[in-house]
Amino acid sequence: QVQLMESGGGLVQPGGSLRLSCAASKSIFSIRVMGWYRQAPGKQRELVATITINSSRNYADSVKGRFTISRDNAKNTVYLQMNSLKPEDTAVYYCGADFNGLRYWGQGTQVTVSS
């Protein structure tokens, strides 16, 4: 099993930046895929970005060129650097991890983009 804890959310103005962190209770060497997802009120949870053990990355079209996912194996942490934020990025952001065929989720961190 793996426990995930997100941090770094908050209120930011349009065009601003935030860096989200996801700390895992296990070495991320043992987790094949980690990623970020988001869910706005009344909408389904959607993929934002994923990163694999071999550092393969995928991004939603809506965030390409603005968001960057990365990992720090020594800290068992995955990051999401979010630049040029837009109001439509407002959502609860969840860290997810695939381990032994199961999807594990953090509790989420709120990101609000508003002036």
Side-chain angles (χ1 to χ4, degrees):
Q1 299 182 26
V2 58
Q3 289 76 51
L4 306 171
M5 182 178 294
E6 304 98 332
S7 62
L11 175 64
V12 65
Q13 295 187 38
S17 297
L18 285 173
R19 186 175 179 87
L20 306 183
S21 299
C22 173
S25 63
K26 296 176 67 71
S27 169
I28 58 176
F29 282 121
S30 66
I31 304 173
R32 186 180 69 85
V33 181
M34 297 188 69
W36 290 95
Y37 303 76
R38 66 187 182 188
Q39 188 167 23
K43 301 206 173 192
Q44 66 183 17
R45 189 172 298 185
E46 65 175 352
L47 168 73
V48 177
T50 61
I51 186 167
T52 66
I53 290 294
N54 64 0
S55 296
S56 179
R57 296 169 171 85
N58 283 293
Y59 297 95
D61 288 342
S62 60
V63 307
K64 285 182 178 177
R66 299 189 297 123
F67 291 10
T68 303
I69 189 169
S70 62
R71 71 175 190 268
D72 186 332
N73 292 337
K75 297 179 179 179
N76 293 333
T77 300
V78 171
Y79 303 96
L80 184 68
Q81 178 67 46
M82 305 186 294
N83 298 326
S84 301
L85 282 162
K86 304 174 181 179
E88 51 262 44
D89 295 317
T90 296
V92 178
Y93 283 69
Y94 296 90
C95 181
D98 289 346
F99 180 71
N100 283 351
L102 298 177
R103 173 68 55 81
Y104 294 84
W105 298 103
Q107 294 185 352
T109 185
Q110 177 71 46
V111 172
T112 302
V113 185
S114 176
S115 59

